[in-house]
Amino acid sequence: MNVMANRPRRLESYVGGQWVAGAREGVPLLDASTGAPVAFIDSTGVDFKASLAYGREKGGAALRRLSFHERAAMLKALGQALMERKEEFYALSTATGATRADSWVDIEGGVGTLLSYASKGRRELPNTRVLLDGDVEQLSKDGTFAAQHILTPLLGVAVHINAFNFPCWGMLEKLAPTLLAGVPAIVKPASQTAYLTELMVRRIVETGILPDGALQLVCGSVGDLLDHVEGQDVVTFTGSAATGRRLKTHKAIVENSVRFTMEADSLNAAVLGLDAAPGTEEFDLFVKEVAREMTVKAGQKCTAIRRVIAPRAYSEALIESLGARLAKTAIGNPADEAVRMGPLASLDQREEVRARIRDLSADAEIVTGDPDNPSVQSGDAEAGAFLNPVLLYCDKPGAAHAIHDVEAFGPVSTVMPYDTAEEAVDLARRGKGSLVASVFTNDPGFAEEVVLGLAPFHGRVMIGNRVSAKSSTGHGSPLPGLVHGGPGRAGGGEELGGMRGVKHYMQRTAIQGAPTMLSAVTGRWLPGAEARAGGEHPFRKSLAELKIGDQLITASRTVTLDDIEHFANFTGDTFYAHMDEEAAKANPFFDG
């Protein structure tokens, strides 16, 4: 099916193993650059209670029959299949206002996350369905009673409610650890860009790689979906703090103690070091990074730099350099290859950002950019949701409030000066918790003081300097192996982080009993469990014949002093504790 052939079209939800159109025509979704209709969205009539039941009974059961390695292989196959279809996603992504570079982060970054979890699953997880957590806890002197913590998949469904800014990555970065854990998902993308998510889900379904019920999609309102969540379900949310708080206190979520993860507003900060004066490599890197974070995805990133904290003595030079760089940013229709920054996702979003800029103006003055008169290289400045990058300056940030409380979710940042490292940390902390902060310095002492001061208020802190400049992934890039989330106003949630993200969808349970019983449950031999020696050599048995507890007992021999000294000389490890009897005895850690 060519979903591009008859635009605008009605989006459909994929529930209960079939595509379902809403009962109404739906709300029109407009091209961010041209204002032309792209699709209509509506989920009226979808049976959300039945979709949850279908996921639990059909999808969950099928996923739990697979081992971690089988699920990882499934993710790899899915990632490869989506990569083959990437150009179709790129073509539709321009309607969201994304340039090719913006779309790369969303599309190939999302698929890359699938592939990364596939690789990590094979390398870091066992080929079993049960994950051990920690070492055996001995609970008796004779070894007949012990305990082992295990992790098993939840028996519910993960409901992922995503934001509009990353319609592909936002789905895939949550889906990868969920499926690897063995839990099915229902994805609810933000309506404005749901047409791109729907296209990707259609292509996923067509591959036939996922078991029935492993993935469902809701295009439109979630209706009464959350009324039916239970204690084995998980709900994740990415979006505004106000909406997140409302969902978090939903009656069914509270009464059933449903796991809830939120990623909300985040006033991320970038700190320029006291050593990073104009003319240094760190100053130039800082200017480049701030400008990039303001313009990539038109600043519509939860990790974008909102507060630019710089030494007071360097502020004037910083504003001048940033202004010059931002002025060179070509703004327009992302279908134009010369364009470097596209529009915001919608006209409503543009008005929202303009309103927030007015709020910020209570504390700061605009020093670069006119939010009310966009200058575009291509496209219609009014029909499209275009907005120039806007840089503000607050001379007394310690006494201000709006700049630490208001997030303009667009190409907007505020420069604020500081005089001491302690003051820089204090300003960053006033964001009340953020996803990420960055520190640009070549001074290890400054890095230590500021990073340790920022860490309790951030999920991630990046240090930038001349050494890592070429290899750095940058301030705003969440990575599969690193935690994505933040405390306080950032939502208090945590995603990704390698296998940490997988464990969010599993239950930790302490299993107590005799070692043989624990081995039977965990699929691992534990000290004190039954063992079988003799008979055919274990290496000659097939995997079907090899059983937990099979062992090989070799002949014994005495290790002599000559053996020890030969080994030391042979390996070059002539540490004195191995070679010098007198010196070894004189050391309180060794007996000889």
Side-chain angles (χ1 to χ4, degrees):
M1 176 183 178
N2 184 354
V3 298
M4 298 289 291
N6 297 304
R7 295 197 302 168
R9 62 189 184 84
R10 293 178 64 192
L11 301 184
E12 296 179 323
S13 296
Y14 185 68
V15 292
Q18 60 185 342
W19 289 99
V20 177
R24 302 169 185 168
E25 183 180 38
V27 177
L29 306 178
L30 308 181
D31 186 300
S33 297
T34 67
V38 178
F40 294 91
I41 188 168
D42 177 60
S43 63
T44 305
V46 172
D47 189 337
F48 295 110
K49 183 177 181 180
S51 67
L52 281 166
Y54 184 77
R56 295 182 191 119
E57 297 164 11
K58 190 83 172 177
L63 288 170
R64 291 192 298 273
R65 284 194 291 268
L66 304 176
S67 69
F68 288 110
H69 285 194
E70 288 171 325
R71 295 174 207 148
M74 180 181 69
L75 292 183
K76 181 178 180 180
L78 185 58
Q80 292 172 332
L82 291 177
M83 198 65 81
E84 291 175 358
R85 296 159 172 80
K86 66 180 181 181
E87 290 305 324
E88 187 179 11
F89 307 137
Y90 274 113
L92 186 56
S93 183
T94 57
T96 72
T99 65
R100 178 83 183 190
D102 295 337
S103 298
W104 181 89
V105 176
D106 186 32
I107 297 166
E108 297 192 47
V111 175
T113 300
L114 278 183
L115 295 174
S116 177
Y117 267 90
S119 176
K120 281 181 167 291
R122 288 295 300 273
R123 289 186 288 108
E124 299 178 25
L125 297 179
N127 192 23
T128 64
R129 296 181 296 162
V130 176
L131 189 59
L132 301 191
D133 183 49
D135 297 327
V136 176
E137 298 287 343
Q138 293 295 344
L139 303 178
S140 66
K141 290 183 178 180
D142 62 1
T144 60
F145 192 55
Q148 172 71 62
H149 287 87
I150 65 171
L151 291 158
T152 53
L154 292 172
L155 303 186
V157 173
V159 178
H160 295 314
I161 304 173
N162 298 329
F164 69 85
N165 52 338
F166 288 101
C168 297
W169 179 86
M171 171 178 65
L172 297 176
E173 66 96 2
K174 293 180 180 181
L175 200 56
T178 303
L179 294 178
L180 187 55
V183 176
I186 295 176
V187 174
K188 193 282 179 198
S191 292
Q192 178 55 42
T193 55
Y195 46 85
L196 183 52
T197 311
E198 194 232 36
L199 173 60
M200 181 168 278
V201 172
R202 283 187 180 276
R203 299 302 174 248
I204 290 174
V205 171
E206 288 170 3
T207 67
I209 292 170
L210 298 184
D212 291 342
L215 172 62
Q216 298 181 80
L217 174 74
V218 175
C219 285
S221 169
V222 293
D224 65 350
L225 175 66
L226 296 185
D227 292 343
H228 307 294
V229 294
E230 301 173 354
Q232 287 288 307
D233 298 321
V234 179
V235 176
T236 73
F237 171 78
T238 302
S240 72
T243 302
R245 284 192 294 269
R246 188 167 66 251
L247 296 178
K248 189 176 184 178
T249 55
H250 189 284
K251 182 180 179 181
I253 290 176
V254 174
E255 290 184 354
N256 297 319
S257 298
V258 175
R259 297 187 189 190
F260 185 88
T261 297
M262 178 168 68
E263 182 208 301
D265 306 340
S266 185
L267 291 170
N268 311 295
V271 179
L272 181 64
L274 290 168
D275 60 304
T280 63
E281 293 178 67
E282 283 67 37
F283 182 89
D284 293 340
L285 290 169
F286 187 78
V287 170
K288 181 179 179 181
E289 191 73 5
V290 172
R292 179 171 66 177
E293 288 299 312
M294 289 180 67
T295 56
V296 169
K297 293 287 288 186
Q300 298 170 114
K301 293 171 55 184
C302 57
T303 54
I305 295 170
R306 307 299 180 195
R307 297 179 299 151
V308 182
I309 301 173
R312 184 173 294 275
Y314 311 155
S315 294
E316 186 175 342
L318 176 63
I319 291 170
E320 182 179 347
S321 297
L322 278 172
R325 192 174 188 94
L326 293 172
K328 296 177 182 178
T329 303
I331 303 170
N333 191 321
D336 180 350
E337 292 184 359
V339 163
R340 292 293 173 267
M341 189 180 95
L344 298 179
S346 67
L347 292 173
D348 287 345
Q349 182 63 21
R350 181 172 69 177
E351 291 312 306
E352 164 70 18
V353 173
R354 284 173 171 171
R356 300 293 75 77
I357 291 173
R358 290 193 290 271
D359 292 340
L360 292 170
S361 296
D363 289 338
E365 60 177 323
I366 295 175
V367 291
T368 293
D370 183 350
D372 297 318
N373 297 289
S375 175
V376 299
Q377 178 168 305
S378 59
D380 188 323
E382 288 306 315
F386 297 103
L387 182 74
N388 292 328
V390 175
L391 188 69
L392 299 97
Y393 175 73
C394 176
D395 189 60
K396 297 180 179 179
H401 298 285
I403 58 172
H404 304 302
D405 293 329
V406 175
E407 180 182 25
F409 200 71
V412 183
S413 293
T414 302
V415 175
M416 48 193 76
Y418 76 90
D419 295 304
T420 66
E422 183 179 11
E423 185 182 357
V425 170
D426 176 68
L427 290 175
R429 287 177 174 179
R430 292 186 182 215
K432 301 180 182 69
S434 299
L435 297 173
V436 57
S438 55
V439 182
F440 283 75
T441 180
N442 203 38
D443 179 351
F446 182 87
E448 179 188 17
E449 180 178 356
V450 174
V451 170
L452 293 181
L454 296 179
F457 287 76
H458 295 81
R460 178 168 59 88
V461 179
M462 190 207 80
I463 305 171
N465 74 346
R466 65 195 68 181
V467 176
S468 63
K470 290 184 179 180
S471 57
S472 173
T473 52
H475 166 103
S477 298
L479 300 173
L482 304 184
V483 165
H484 178 56
R489 70 172 289 156
E494 186 179 282
E495 298 172 356
L496 299 176
M499 293 305 104
R500 298 172 185 84
V502 175
K503 294 175 184 179
H504 294 328
Y505 302 97
M506 306 185 80
Q507 175 61 44
R508 180 181 291 104
T509 307
I511 307 299
Q512 298 170 270
T516 298
M517 298 297 103
L518 296 183
S519 289
V521 172
T522 62
R524 300 276 188 93
W525 186 85
L526 305 178
E530 291 180 358
R532 293 171 298 278
E536 188 174 13
H537 193 291
F539 286 3
R540 294 185 178 275
K541 293 182 178 181
S542 69
L543 289 176
E545 297 170 326
L546 198 62
K547 304 297 181 185
I548 299 296
D550 285 356
Q551 66 175 195
L552 174 68
I553 301 177
T554 63
S556 62
R557 65 181 293 270
T558 301
V559 178
T560 67
L561 181 60
D562 287 341
D563 291 329
I564 295 172
E565 292 187 346
H566 169 74
F567 181 80
N569 288 313
F570 181 72
T571 61
D573 180 12
T574 55
F575 182 53
Y576 75 85
H578 302 161
M579 308 296 291
D580 188 328
E581 182 73 16
E582 184 176 347
K585 284 185 176 180
N587 190 300
F589 294 107
F590 307 106
D591 294 326

